[in-house]
PDB file of all heavy atoms in Angstrom:
ATOM      1  N   GLY A   1       0.786  -1.228   0.000  1.00 87.00           N
ATOM      2  CA  GLY A   1       0.000   0.000   0.000  1.00 87.00           C
ATOM      3  C   GLY A   1       0.817   1.276   0.000  1.00 87.00           C
ATOM      4  O   GLY A   1       0.247   2.372   0.116  1.00 87.00           O
ATOM      5  N   GLU A   2       2.142   1.186  -0.155  1.00 89.00           N
ATOM      6  CA  GLU A   2       2.993   2.383  -0.149  1.00 89.00           C
ATOM      7  C   GLU A   2       3.751   2.500  -1.461  1.00 89.00           C
ATOM      8  O   GLU A   2       4.210   1.499  -2.031  1.00 89.00           O
ATOM      9  CB  GLU A   2       3.970   2.337   1.019  1.00 89.00           C
ATOM     10  CG  GLU A   2       3.296   2.324   2.390  1.00 89.00           C
ATOM     11  CD  GLU A   2       4.274   2.557   3.521  1.00 89.00           C
ATOM     12  OE1 GLU A   2       4.864   3.649   3.575  1.00 89.00           O
ATOM     13  OE2 GLU A   2       4.451   1.634   4.337  1.00 89.00           O
ATOM     14  N   ASN A   3       3.883   3.738  -1.927  1.00 91.00           N
ATOM     15  CA  ASN A   3       4.623   4.039  -3.143  1.00 91.00           C
ATOM     16  C   ASN A   3       6.111   4.040  -2.798  1.00 91.00           C
ATOM     17  O   ASN A   3       6.625   4.978  -2.196  1.00 91.00           O
ATOM     18  CB  ASN A   3       4.193   5.403  -3.697  1.00 91.00           C
ATOM     19  CG  ASN A   3       4.813   5.697  -5.052  1.00 91.00           C
ATOM     20  OD1 ASN A   3       5.706   5.000  -5.511  1.00 91.00           O
ATOM     21  ND2 ASN A   3       4.334   6.749  -5.697  1.00 91.00           N
ATOM     22  N   VAL A   4       6.809   2.965  -3.165  1.00 89.00           N
ATOM     23  CA  VAL A   4       8.153   2.700  -2.655  1.00 89.00           C
ATOM     24  C   VAL A   4       9.105   3.862  -2.912  1.00 89.00           C
ATOM     25  O   VAL A   4       9.804   4.330  -2.010  1.00 89.00           O
ATOM     26  CB  VAL A   4       8.708   1.408  -3.281  1.00 89.00           C
ATOM     27  CG1 VAL A   4      10.174   1.206  -2.902  1.00 89.00           C
ATOM     28  CG2 VAL A   4       7.879   0.212  -2.841  1.00 89.00           C
ATOM     29  N   TYR A   5       9.157   4.355  -4.135  1.00 91.00           N
ATOM     30  CA  TYR A   5      10.169   5.341  -4.488  1.00 91.00           C
ATOM     31  C   TYR A   5       9.726   6.774  -4.204  1.00 91.00           C
ATOM     32  O   TYR A   5      10.476   7.708  -4.492  1.00 91.00           O
ATOM     33  CB  TYR A   5      10.596   5.159  -5.945  1.00 91.00           C
ATOM     34  CG  TYR A   5      11.335   3.860  -6.137  1.00 91.00           C
ATOM     35  CD1 TYR A   5      10.701   2.747  -6.688  1.00 91.00           C
ATOM     36  CD2 TYR A   5      12.644   3.725  -5.720  1.00 91.00           C
ATOM     37  CE1 TYR A   5      11.373   1.540  -6.843  1.00 91.00           C
ATOM     38  CE2 TYR A   5      13.320   2.519  -5.869  1.00 91.00           C
ATOM     39  CZ  TYR A   5      12.685   1.440  -6.430  1.00 91.00           C
ATOM     40  OH  TYR A   5      13.359   0.247  -6.568  1.00 91.00           O
ATOM     41  N   ALA A   6       8.562   6.936  -3.600  1.00 90.00           N
ATOM     42  CA  ALA A   6       8.171   8.241  -3.085  1.00 90.00           C
ATOM     43  C   ALA A   6       8.615   8.398  -1.635  1.00 90.00           C
ATOM     44  O   ALA A   6       8.476   9.473  -1.055  1.00 90.00           O
ATOM     45  CB  ALA A   6       6.655   8.423  -3.192  1.00 90.00           C
ATOM     46  N   LEU A   7       9.157   7.325  -1.055  1.00 87.00           N
ATOM     47  CA  LEU A   7       9.601   7.342   0.341  1.00 87.00           C
ATOM     48  C   LEU A   7      11.056   7.782   0.418  1.00 87.00           C
ATOM     49  O   LEU A   7      11.810   7.720  -0.551  1.00 87.00           O
ATOM     50  CB  LEU A   7       9.461   5.941   0.942  1.00 87.00           C
ATOM     51  CG  LEU A   7       8.077   5.295   0.893  1.00 87.00           C
ATOM     52  CD1 LEU A   7       8.165   3.855   1.388  1.00 87.00           C
ATOM     53  CD2 LEU A   7       7.079   6.079   1.732  1.00 87.00           C
ATOM     54  N   SER A   8      11.462   8.217   1.602  1.00 87.00           N
ATOM     55  CA  SER A   8      12.875   8.498   1.834  1.00 87.00           C
ATOM     56  C   SER A   8      13.657   7.189   1.789  1.00 87.00           C
ATOM     57  O   SER A   8      13.087   6.099   1.920  1.00 87.00           O
ATOM     58  CB  SER A   8      13.074   9.168   3.191  1.00 87.00           C
ATOM     59  OG  SER A   8      12.764   8.259   4.241  1.00 87.00           O
ATOM     60  N   ALA A   9      14.965   7.299   1.624  1.00 82.00           N
ATOM     61  CA  ALA A   9      15.796   6.092   1.556  1.00 82.00           C
ATOM     62  C   ALA A   9      15.677   5.278   2.844  1.00 82.00           C
ATOM     63  O   ALA A   9      15.615   4.047   2.802  1.00 82.00           O
ATOM     64  CB  ALA A   9      17.254   6.477   1.296  1.00 82.00           C
ATOM     65  N   ALA A  10      15.637   5.965   3.982  1.00 81.00           N
ATOM     66  CA  ALA A  10      15.537   5.253   5.261  1.00 81.00           C
ATOM     67  C   ALA A  10      14.198   4.540   5.391  1.00 81.00           C
ATOM     68  O   ALA A  10      14.135   3.380   5.815  1.00 81.00           O
ATOM     69  CB  ALA A  10      15.739   6.232   6.417  1.00 81.00           C
ATOM     70  N   ARG A  11      13.115   5.212   5.005  1.00 84.00           N
ATOM     71  CA  ARG A  11      11.783   4.601   5.100  1.00 84.00           C
ATOM     72  C   ARG A  11      11.660   3.445   4.111  1.00 84.00           C
ATOM     73  O   ARG A  11      11.025   2.432   4.397  1.00 84.00           O
ATOM     74  CB  ARG A  11      10.718   5.666   4.814  1.00 84.00           C
ATOM     75  CG  ARG A  11       9.298   5.156   4.904  1.00 84.00           C
ATOM     76  CD  ARG A  11       8.900   4.854   6.332  1.00 84.00           C
ATOM     77  NE  ARG A  11       7.587   4.231   6.390  1.00 84.00           N
ATOM     78  CZ  ARG A  11       7.392   2.927   6.329  1.00 84.00           C
ATOM     79  NH1 ARG A  11       8.424   2.095   6.243  1.00 84.00           N
ATOM     80  NH2 ARG A  11       6.177   2.427   6.388  1.00 84.00           N
ATOM     81  N   ARG A  12      12.276   3.598   2.941  1.00 84.00           N
ATOM     82  CA  ARG A  12      12.240   2.535   1.938  1.00 84.00           C
ATOM     83  C   ARG A  12      12.961   1.292   2.456  1.00 84.00           C
ATOM     84  O   ARG A  12      12.502   0.168   2.256  1.00 84.00           O
ATOM     85  CB  ARG A  12      12.891   3.030   0.645  1.00 84.00           C
ATOM     86  CG  ARG A  12      12.744   2.085  -0.525  1.00 84.00           C
ATOM     87  CD  ARG A  12      12.942   2.802  -1.845  1.00 84.00           C
ATOM     88  NE  ARG A  12      14.257   3.364  -2.005  1.00 84.00           N
ATOM     89  CZ  ARG A  12      14.532   4.650  -2.113  1.00 84.00           C
ATOM     90  NH1 ARG A  12      13.556   5.544  -2.057  1.00 84.00           N
ATOM     91  NH2 ARG A  12      15.763   5.097  -2.285  1.00 84.00           N
ATOM     92  N   ALA A  13      14.083   1.490   3.142  1.00 81.00           N
ATOM     93  CA  ALA A  13      14.813   0.355   3.709  1.00 81.00           C
ATOM     94  C   ALA A  13      13.976  -0.350   4.770  1.00 81.00           C
ATOM     95  O   ALA A  13      13.972  -1.583   4.858  1.00 81.00           O
ATOM     96  CB  ALA A  13      16.135   0.835   4.300  1.00 81.00           C
ATOM     97  N   GLN A  14      13.252   0.408   5.583  1.00 81.00           N
ATOM     98  CA  GLN A  14      12.369  -0.195   6.591  1.00 81.00           C
ATOM     99  C   GLN A  14      11.280  -1.034   5.934  1.00 81.00           C
ATOM    100  O   GLN A  14      10.955  -2.134   6.392  1.00 81.00           O
ATOM    101  CB  GLN A  14      11.740   0.896   7.455  1.00 81.00           C
ATOM    102  CG  GLN A  14      12.716   1.606   8.368  1.00 81.00           C
ATOM    103  CD  GLN A  14      12.056   2.741   9.132  1.00 81.00           C
ATOM    104  OE1 GLN A  14      10.914   3.122   8.857  1.00 81.00           O
ATOM    105  NE2 GLN A  14      12.778   3.297  10.086  1.00 81.00           N
ATOM    106  N   LEU A  15      10.710  -0.508   4.851  1.00 84.00           N
ATOM    107  CA  LEU A  15       9.647  -1.223   4.150  1.00 84.00           C
ATOM    108  C   LEU A  15      10.175  -2.520   3.552  1.00 84.00           C
ATOM    109  O   LEU A  15       9.522  -3.563   3.630  1.00 84.00           O
ATOM    110  CB  LEU A  15       9.055  -0.324   3.055  1.00 84.00           C
ATOM    111  CG  LEU A  15       7.859  -0.891   2.280  1.00 84.00           C
ATOM    112  CD1 LEU A  15       6.660  -1.071   3.197  1.00 84.00           C
ATOM    113  CD2 LEU A  15       7.502   0.029   1.107  1.00 84.00           C
ATOM    114  N   ARG A  16      11.364  -2.470   2.962  1.00 83.00           N
ATOM    115  CA  ARG A  16      11.976  -3.691   2.407  1.00 83.00           C
ATOM    116  C   ARG A  16      12.155  -4.741   3.492  1.00 83.00           C
ATOM    117  O   ARG A  16      11.839  -5.918   3.304  1.00 83.00           O
ATOM    118  CB  ARG A  16      13.342  -3.373   1.786  1.00 83.00           C
ATOM    119  CG  ARG A  16      13.317  -2.686   0.460  1.00 83.00           C
ATOM    120  CD  ARG A  16      14.633  -2.848  -0.270  1.00 83.00           C
ATOM    121  NE  ARG A  16      15.760  -2.394   0.541  1.00 83.00           N
ATOM    122  CZ  ARG A  16      16.282  -1.184   0.486  1.00 83.00           C
ATOM    123  NH1 ARG A  16      15.775  -0.286  -0.345  1.00 83.00           N
ATOM    124  NH2 ARG A  16      17.309  -0.844   1.237  1.00 83.00           N
ATOM    125  N   GLY A  17      12.689  -4.305   4.638  1.00 80.00           N
ATOM    126  CA  GLY A  17      12.933  -5.244   5.717  1.00 80.00           C
ATOM    127  C   GLY A  17      11.663  -5.877   6.248  1.00 80.00           C
ATOM    128  O   GLY A  17      11.666  -7.031   6.675  1.00 80.00           O
ATOM    129  N   ARG A  18      10.563  -5.115   6.216  1.00 82.00           N
ATOM    130  CA  ARG A  18       9.306  -5.613   6.770  1.00 82.00           C
ATOM    131  C   ARG A  18       8.568  -6.509   5.792  1.00 82.00           C
ATOM    132  O   ARG A  18       7.946  -7.504   6.192  1.00 82.00           O
ATOM    133  CB  ARG A  18       8.421  -4.424   7.146  1.00 82.00           C
ATOM    134  CG  ARG A  18       7.137  -4.790   7.889  1.00 82.00           C
ATOM    135  CD  ARG A  18       6.281  -3.564   8.115  1.00 82.00           C
ATOM    136  NE  ARG A  18       5.632  -3.133   6.893  1.00 82.00           N
ATOM    137  CZ  ARG A  18       5.419  -1.859   6.573  1.00 82.00           C
ATOM    138  NH1 ARG A  18       5.834  -0.897   7.378  1.00 82.00           N
ATOM    139  NH2 ARG A  18       4.812  -1.537   5.437  1.00 82.00           N
ATOM    140  N   GLU A  19       8.599  -6.193   4.514  1.00 87.00           N
ATOM    141  CA  GLU A  19       7.725  -6.844   3.540  1.00 87.00           C
ATOM    142  C   GLU A  19       8.431  -7.848   2.628  1.00 87.00           C
ATOM    143  O   GLU A  19       7.767  -8.705   2.047  1.00 87.00           O
ATOM    144  CB  GLU A  19       7.053  -5.787   2.653  1.00 87.00           C
ATOM    145  CG  GLU A  19       6.265  -4.724   3.404  1.00 87.00           C
ATOM    146  CD  GLU A  19       4.951  -5.255   3.957  1.00 87.00           C
ATOM    147  OE1 GLU A  19       4.683  -6.461   3.812  1.00 87.00           O
ATOM    148  OE2 GLU A  19       4.192  -4.468   4.544  1.00 87.00           O
ATOM    149  N   LEU A  20       9.756  -7.754   2.463  1.00 86.00           N
ATOM    150  CA  LEU A  20      10.437  -8.516   1.413  1.00 86.00           C
ATOM    151  C   LEU A  20      11.468  -9.483   1.980  1.00 86.00           C
ATOM    152  O   LEU A  20      12.140  -9.197   2.974  1.00 86.00           O
ATOM    153  CB  LEU A  20      11.151  -7.566   0.442  1.00 86.00           C
ATOM    154  CG  LEU A  20      10.278  -6.616  -0.360  1.00 86.00           C
ATOM    155  CD1 LEU A  20      11.156  -5.681  -1.191  1.00 86.00           C
ATOM    156  CD2 LEU A  20       9.317  -7.374  -1.260  1.00 86.00           C
ATOM    157  N   GLY A  21      11.599 -10.632   1.295  1.00 86.00           N
ATOM    158  CA  GLY A  21      12.694 -11.560   1.520  1.00 86.00           C
ATOM    159  C   GLY A  21      13.416 -11.746   0.197  1.00 86.00           C
ATOM    160  O   GLY A  21      12.773 -11.782  -0.864  1.00 86.00           O
ATOM    161  N   PHE A  22      14.734 -11.841   0.227  1.00 85.00           N
ATOM    162  CA  PHE A  22      15.522 -11.927  -1.000  1.00 85.00           C
ATOM    163  C   PHE A  22      16.314 -13.225  -1.045  1.00 85.00           C
ATOM    164  O   PHE A  22      16.913 -13.637  -0.049  1.00 85.00           O
ATOM    165  CB  PHE A  22      16.513 -10.759  -1.087  1.00 85.00           C
ATOM    166  CG  PHE A  22      15.859  -9.410  -1.245  1.00 85.00           C
ATOM    167  CD1 PHE A  22      15.547  -8.649  -0.129  1.00 85.00           C
ATOM    168  CD2 PHE A  22      15.562  -8.903  -2.499  1.00 85.00           C
ATOM    169  CE1 PHE A  22      14.948  -7.411  -0.250  1.00 85.00           C
ATOM    170  CE2 PHE A  22      14.968  -7.661  -2.637  1.00 85.00           C
ATOM    171  CZ  PHE A  22      14.654  -6.916  -1.513  1.00 85.00           C
ATOM    172  N   MET A  23      16.326 -13.861  -2.221  1.00 80.00           N
ATOM    173  CA  MET A  23      17.196 -15.003  -2.491  1.00 80.00           C
ATOM    174  C   MET A  23      17.889 -14.777  -3.825  1.00 80.00           C
ATOM    175  O   MET A  23      17.269 -14.338  -4.789  1.00 80.00           O
ATOM    176  CB  MET A  23      16.405 -16.304  -2.548  1.00 80.00           C
ATOM    177  CG  MET A  23      16.012 -16.853  -1.190  1.00 80.00           C
ATOM    178  SD  MET A  23      15.635 -18.616  -1.312  1.00 80.00           S
ATOM    179  CE  MET A  23      17.255 -19.279  -1.735  1.00 80.00           C
ATOM    180  N   PHE A  24      19.190 -15.094  -3.846  1.00 75.00           N
ATOM    181  CA  PHE A  24      19.970 -14.895  -5.055  1.00 75.00           C
ATOM    182  C   PHE A  24      20.691 -16.191  -5.407  1.00 75.00           C
ATOM    183  O   PHE A  24      20.758 -17.119  -4.600  1.00 75.00           O
ATOM    184  CB  PHE A  24      20.981 -13.762  -4.857  1.00 75.00           C
ATOM    185  CG  PHE A  24      20.343 -12.465  -4.440  1.00 75.00           C
ATOM    186  CD1 PHE A  24      20.332 -12.082  -3.111  1.00 75.00           C
ATOM    187  CD2 PHE A  24      19.721 -11.659  -5.368  1.00 75.00           C
ATOM    188  CE1 PHE A  24      19.738 -10.901  -2.718  1.00 75.00           C
ATOM    189  CE2 PHE A  24      19.121 -10.474  -4.986  1.00 75.00           C
ATOM    190  CZ  PHE A  24      19.126 -10.102  -3.656  1.00 75.00           C
ATOM    191  N   GLN A  25      21.256 -16.229  -6.613  1.00 67.00           N
ATOM    192  CA  GLN A  25      21.937 -17.444  -7.049  1.00 67.00           C
ATOM    193  C   GLN A  25      23.109 -17.756  -6.130  1.00 67.00           C
ATOM    194  O   GLN A  25      23.352 -18.904  -5.778  1.00 67.00           O
ATOM    195  CB  GLN A  25      22.432 -17.304  -8.488  1.00 67.00           C
ATOM    196  CG  GLN A  25      23.161 -18.549  -8.969  1.00 67.00           C
ATOM    197  CD  GLN A  25      23.492 -18.498 -10.440  1.00 67.00           C
ATOM    198  OE1 GLN A  25      23.136 -17.539 -11.110  1.00 67.00           O
ATOM    199  NE2 GLN A  25      24.167 -19.493 -10.936  1.00 67.00           N
ATOM    200  N   PHE A  26      23.856 -16.730  -5.738  1.00 64.00           N
ATOM    201  CA  PHE A  26      24.939 -16.915  -4.796  1.00 64.00           C
ATOM    202  C   PHE A  26      24.434 -16.519  -3.423  1.00 64.00           C
ATOM    203  O   PHE A  26      23.702 -15.537  -3.272  1.00 64.00           O
ATOM    204  CB  PHE A  26      26.148 -16.082  -5.208  1.00 64.00           C
ATOM    205  CG  PHE A  26      26.708 -16.504  -6.541  1.00 64.00           C
ATOM    206  CD1 PHE A  26      26.444 -15.767  -7.684  1.00 64.00           C
ATOM    207  CD2 PHE A  26      27.459 -17.660  -6.667  1.00 64.00           C
ATOM    208  CE1 PHE A  26      26.942 -16.158  -8.914  1.00 64.00           C
ATOM    209  CE2 PHE A  26      27.958 -18.062  -7.888  1.00 64.00           C
ATOM    210  CZ  PHE A  26      27.702 -17.315  -9.015  1.00 64.00           C
ATOM    211  N   HIS A  27      24.838 -17.284  -2.419  1.00 64.00           N
ATOM    212  CA  HIS A  27      24.259 -17.120  -1.084  1.00 64.00           C
ATOM    213  C   HIS A  27      24.471 -15.727  -0.511  1.00 64.00           C
ATOM    214  O   HIS A  27      23.643 -15.218   0.230  1.00 64.00           O
ATOM    215  CB  HIS A  27      24.847 -18.164  -0.148  1.00 64.00           C
ATOM    216  CG  HIS A  27      26.347 -18.232  -0.176  1.00 64.00           C
ATOM    217  ND1 HIS A  27      27.150 -17.286   0.404  1.00 64.00           N
ATOM    218  CD2 HIS A  27      27.175 -19.145  -0.744  1.00 64.00           C
ATOM    219  CE1 HIS A  27      28.422 -17.610   0.227  1.00 64.00           C
ATOM    220  NE2 HIS A  27      28.470 -18.734  -0.478  1.00 64.00           N
ATOM    221  N   GLY A  28      25.594 -15.062  -0.816  1.00 72.00           N
ATOM    222  CA  GLY A  28      25.811 -13.699  -0.370  1.00 72.00           C
ATOM    223  C   GLY A  28      25.919 -13.551   1.139  1.00 72.00           C
ATOM    224  O   GLY A  28      25.552 -12.508   1.683  1.00 72.00           O
ATOM    225  N   LEU A  29      26.426 -14.562   1.827  1.00 80.00           N
ATOM    226  CA  LEU A  29      26.586 -14.466   3.276  1.00 80.00           C
ATOM    227  C   LEU A  29      27.759 -13.546   3.611  1.00 80.00           C
ATOM    228  O   LEU A  29      28.766 -13.510   2.897  1.00 80.00           O
ATOM    229  CB  LEU A  29      26.833 -15.846   3.880  1.00 80.00           C
ATOM    230  CG  LEU A  29      25.759 -16.909   3.638  1.00 80.00           C
ATOM    231  CD1 LEU A  29      26.135 -18.203   4.349  1.00 80.00           C
ATOM    232  CD2 LEU A  29      24.392 -16.424   4.094  1.00 80.00           C
ATOM    233  N   HIS A  30      27.622 -12.804   4.707  1.00 81.00           N
ATOM    234  CA  HIS A  30      28.696 -11.927   5.138  1.00 81.00           C
ATOM    235  C   HIS A  30      29.843 -12.782   5.676  1.00 81.00           C
ATOM    236  O   HIS A  30      29.644 -13.576   6.602  1.00 81.00           O
ATOM    237  CB  HIS A  30      28.196 -10.970   6.219  1.00 81.00           C
ATOM    238  CG  HIS A  30      29.120  -9.813   6.463  1.00 81.00           C
ATOM    239  ND1 HIS A  30      30.355  -9.963   7.048  1.00 81.00           N
ATOM    240  CD2 HIS A  30      29.003  -8.488   6.189  1.00 81.00           C
ATOM    241  CE1 HIS A  30      30.954  -8.790   7.132  1.00 81.00           C
ATOM    242  NE2 HIS A  30      30.160  -7.884   6.612  1.00 81.00           N
ATOM    243  N   PRO A  31      31.058 -12.635   5.145  1.00 79.00           N
ATOM    244  CA  PRO A  31      32.142 -13.566   5.509  1.00 79.00           C
ATOM    245  C   PRO A  31      32.578 -13.467   6.964  1.00 79.00           C
ATOM    246  O   PRO A  31      33.189 -14.410   7.485  1.00 79.00           O
ATOM    247  CB  PRO A  31      33.279 -13.172   4.559  1.00 79.00           C
ATOM    248  CG  PRO A  31      32.986 -11.754   4.174  1.00 79.00           C
ATOM    249  CD  PRO A  31      31.490 -11.652   4.137  1.00 79.00           C
ATOM    250  N   ASN A  32      32.310 -12.341   7.622  1.00 79.00           N
ATOM    251  CA  ASN A  32      32.771 -12.156   8.997  1.00 79.00           C
ATOM    252  C   ASN A  32      31.682 -12.400  10.038  1.00 79.00           C
ATOM    253  O   ASN A  32      31.891 -12.125  11.223  1.00 79.00           O
ATOM    254  CB  ASN A  32      33.336 -10.747   9.173  1.00 79.00           C
ATOM    255  CG  ASN A  32      34.550 -10.511   8.301  1.00 79.00           C
ATOM    256  OD1 ASN A  32      35.379 -11.393   8.126  1.00 79.00           O
ATOM    257  ND2 ASN A  32      34.645  -9.325   7.721  1.00 79.00           N
ATOM    258  N   LEU A  33      30.518 -12.892   9.596  1.00 83.00           N
ATOM    259  CA  LEU A  33      29.433 -13.199  10.516  1.00 83.00           C
ATOM    260  C   LEU A  33      29.221 -14.705  10.581  1.00 83.00           C
ATOM    261  O   LEU A  33      29.403 -15.411   9.591  1.00 83.00           O
ATOM    262  CB  LEU A  33      28.132 -12.522  10.074  1.00 83.00           C
ATOM    263  CG  LEU A  33      28.104 -10.994  10.084  1.00 83.00           C
ATOM    264  CD1 LEU A  33      26.728 -10.488   9.638  1.00 83.00           C
ATOM    265  CD2 LEU A  33      28.440 -10.431  11.453  1.00 83.00           C
TER     266      LEU A  33
END
């Protein structure tokens, strides 16, 4: 219900974290975690 690119960068990041899950071909794990 929100226009993603009308939001600030910080608000857009919050929306991504709340609504989206990402999977890619390469696992992309942080090497130091």
Side-chain angles (χ1 to χ4, degrees):
E2 298 191 64
N3 187 349
V4 173
Y5 293 101
L7 304 174
S8 67
R11 181 71 186 89
R12 188 159 62 244
Q14 291 176 350
L15 184 65
R16 284 200 305 266
R18 187 185 74 216
E19 304 286 3
L20 296 176
F22 294 92
M23 283 200 66
F24 304 99
Q25 179 172 358
F26 297 102
H27 50 74
L29 302 182
H30 195 291
N32 297 322
L33 295 181

